[in-house]
Amino acid sequence: MKLAVVGGGSTYTPELIDGFARLRNLLPLAELVLVDPALDRLERVGGLARRIFAAQGHPGRITWTDDLDAGIEGADAVLLQLRIGGQTARHHDETWPLECGCVGQETTGAGGLAKALRTVPVVLEIAERVRRTNPDAWLIDFTNPVGIVTRALLRAGHKAVGLCNVAIGFQRKFAALLGVAPDQVALEHVGLNHLTWERSVRVAGEDVLPKLLTEHADALAADLRLPRRVLDRLGAVPSYYLRYYYQHDAVVEELRSKPSRAAEVAAIEQQLLALYADPALDEKPDLLARRGGAYYSEAAVALTSSLLADTGDIQVVNALNNGTLPFLPDDAVIEVPATVDATGVTPLPVRPLEPLYAGLIAHVTAYEQLALDAALHGGRDRVFAALLSHPLIGQIDHADRLTDLLIAHNREHLTWA
């Protein structure tokens, strides 16, 4: 089995490598290719990747290249983990929206739209090259904004599945609080990427969410940085990203008072790259945990294994709606539990959603449709329409100003600008 990781020079890649090494019985890799235009980073990341495999006794071969076509040739699956513009672009995404009193964040709001505009055309070009080189390969997208990027891939007819680590993070957290193994915990996880709620948590068929909320709501609320009363009133556990909606103004003030997350990550990355250059290092360093993306490696291994081994098990993925949420168009991409096998992913039925959730999901889905239109076709008017439609913006003056700021900060990445 051969896998390719596009964006393999990321400082996060050793987390992925560690998962492949630990779970080699689940995903028996013969070859793993890291693909990235930044050869200097590839040398450090690839060297550490080889040492991790060797230290854990993995027999697979790890190589790296800046030649996309060579890297993806013969791959059974291609994992996409790109950041177009790097941490510099992310820093812009997190700061210029604040000028209008709007949340600055790389996956939602105006910053999330900027990232989508930079990313979708590049991902689609990569996907076309995968289709020409190896049309049977699966594309597994971890590139944010996952919902919009996955929708672009599926609309273009690619064999693609979107993946996020929010659900597996909740599964691990709940399992630890309950004192059970993670595979005993089944989530009723529903919504869109970075806009989800846990409506039930089942262990041996019993919904233990009321127990979790009774005994551990304070700890859960602290992790989510939300008031406990939010969990009490919802009777559900929202993802961390709901904070940008439920406490928008407070988050804006907080973001204005401290350095951007991008600046923090950039500093961590420099430290990580220095560590990766040490030929004695043969495991992921503790510092990597501060980089984010916990449990992504385990989710990626599980999803890849299920697609290639035709297991038919259930995992939380980003997939076409196709009637699962009847108030959304069929081509919307939702994030829900689904059966996964060699033919792809099939969402499980979802209980009717209360208006409190359905309304916001429908609103953001409409924004995502307009965002994808802007990413595919460009133009100031399309960018403005997407911004005006977003529930975190929604004011004409803000949308006008944010449109100008977005284009100014991303001109080099926008062929139409």
Side-chain angles (χ1 to χ4, degrees):
M1 182 185 300
K2 175 182 176 180
L3 298 187
V5 180
V6 179
S10 167
T11 55
Y12 187 73
T13 296
E15 170 67 28
L16 188 61
I17 299 300
D18 178 73
F20 288 146
R22 286 185 292 104
L23 302 172
R24 57 186 175 274
N25 292 333
L26 187 62
L27 189 66
L29 283 178
E31 183 178 3
L32 177 64
V33 184
L34 307 179
V35 183
D36 203 295
L39 279 173
D40 55 336
R41 293 169 68 104
L42 270 180
E43 291 286 341
R44 297 190 185 194
V45 173
L48 175 57
R50 283 179 176 172
R51 295 192 297 273
I52 290 173
F53 263 32
Q56 298 197 33
H58 195 298
R61 175 173 174 252
I62 294 180
T63 61
W64 52 87
T65 180
D66 63 349
D67 184 333
L68 175 65
D69 293 327
I72 62 180
E73 185 176 3
D76 297 287
V78 178
L79 279 65
L80 305 173
Q81 52 172 41
L82 311 178
R83 184 179 296 281
I84 307 303
Q87 295 299 332
T88 298
R90 177 180 180 176
H91 172 73
H92 291 156
D93 294 344
E94 294 175 343
T95 51
W96 54 261
L98 298 174
E99 296 180 27
C100 296
C102 296
V103 159
Q105 212 277 333
E106 67 159 345
T107 65
T108 192
L113 176 61
K115 193 172 196 301
L117 297 181
R118 294 192 304 270
T119 304
V120 166
V122 176
V123 168
L124 288 177
E125 171 59 24
I126 291 169
E128 286 299 328
R129 291 167 70 174
V130 172
R131 180 151 56 188
R132 290 196 300 266
T133 304
N134 189 14
D136 293 328
W138 280 101
L139 295 169
I140 298 174
D141 177 58
F142 191 63
T143 298
N144 281 318
V146 168
I148 296 172
V149 173
T150 303
R151 191 172 185 177
L153 288 166
L154 292 170
R155 178 182 287 188
H158 296 290
K159 293 178 60 177
V161 184
L163 182 64
C164 181
N165 68 327
V166 167
I168 194 172
F170 273 131
Q171 183 196 47
R172 299 301 194 265
K173 168 64 71 174
F174 296 157
L177 292 174
L178 294 166
V180 300
D183 62 4
Q184 293 183 262
V185 177
L187 303 178
E188 187 184 1
H189 177 103
V190 64
L192 310 176
N193 179 241
H194 290 184
L195 193 85
T196 53
W197 297 263
E198 311 303 330
R199 299 169 77 206
S200 72
V201 179
R202 297 194 175 276
V203 176
E206 177 188 359
D207 183 7
V208 296
L209 181 57
K211 171 184 171 69
L212 280 168
L213 292 177
T214 298
E215 299 180 2
H216 303 289
D218 288 334
L220 291 169
D223 280 349
L224 298 169
R225 301 183 65 195
L226 283 167
R228 172 176 174 158
R229 67 179 183 277
V230 174
L231 278 66
D232 291 337
R233 290 178 178 177
L234 293 178
V237 180
S239 80
Y240 169 85
Y241 292 90
L242 266 299
R243 183 170 184 254
Y244 297 116
Y245 296 82
Y246 293 161
Q247 292 190 305
H248 176 273
D249 293 352
V251 172
V252 168
E253 290 308 308
E254 175 189 311
L255 294 175
R256 283 173 163 167
S257 68
K258 65 181 184 180
S260 68
R261 172 63 177 163
E264 179 183 349
V265 170
I268 293 171
E269 286 193 333
Q270 291 307 306
Q271 298 175 62
L272 287 171
L273 288 170
L275 291 172
Y276 295 172
D278 180 358
L281 183 68
D282 61 4
E283 61 183 3
K284 63 177 183 180
D286 293 340
L287 179 64
L288 186 54
R290 292 175 54 197
R291 176 66 179 76
Y295 305 115
Y296 163 51
S297 61
E298 296 179 29
V301 169
L303 177 56
T304 307
S305 174
S306 297
L307 290 169
L308 299 181
D310 196 25
T311 60
D313 55 353
I314 296 172
Q315 298 176 39
V316 174
V317 297
N318 285 262
L320 287 175
N321 178 46
N322 282 339
T324 306
L325 300 181
F327 55 90
L328 297 184
D330 285 346
D331 68 342
V333 166
I334 60 175
E335 187 171 289
V336 293
T339 57
V340 184
D341 57 29
T343 66
V345 297
T346 305
L348 299 180
V350 173
R351 287 187 295 137
L353 278 168
E354 299 87 341
L356 180 63
Y357 308 124
L360 186 53
I361 290 171
H363 196 161
V364 175
T365 297
Y367 151 76
E368 290 189 346
Q369 181 172 341
L370 292 168
L372 181 54
D373 187 47
L376 293 174
H377 304 294
R380 188 188 189 281
D381 288 347
R382 292 187 179 93
V383 174
F384 171 80
L387 290 168
L388 185 63
S389 73
H390 199 291
L392 296 182
I393 301 168
Q395 298 182 58
I396 193 166
D397 290 340
H398 285 344
D400 255 327
R401 175 66 175 142
L402 288 169
T403 299
D404 292 337
L405 288 169
L406 185 155
I407 293 171
H409 282 286
N410 291 276
R411 197 174 301 277
E412 65 180 295
H413 300 290
L414 306 176
T415 58
W416 50 267

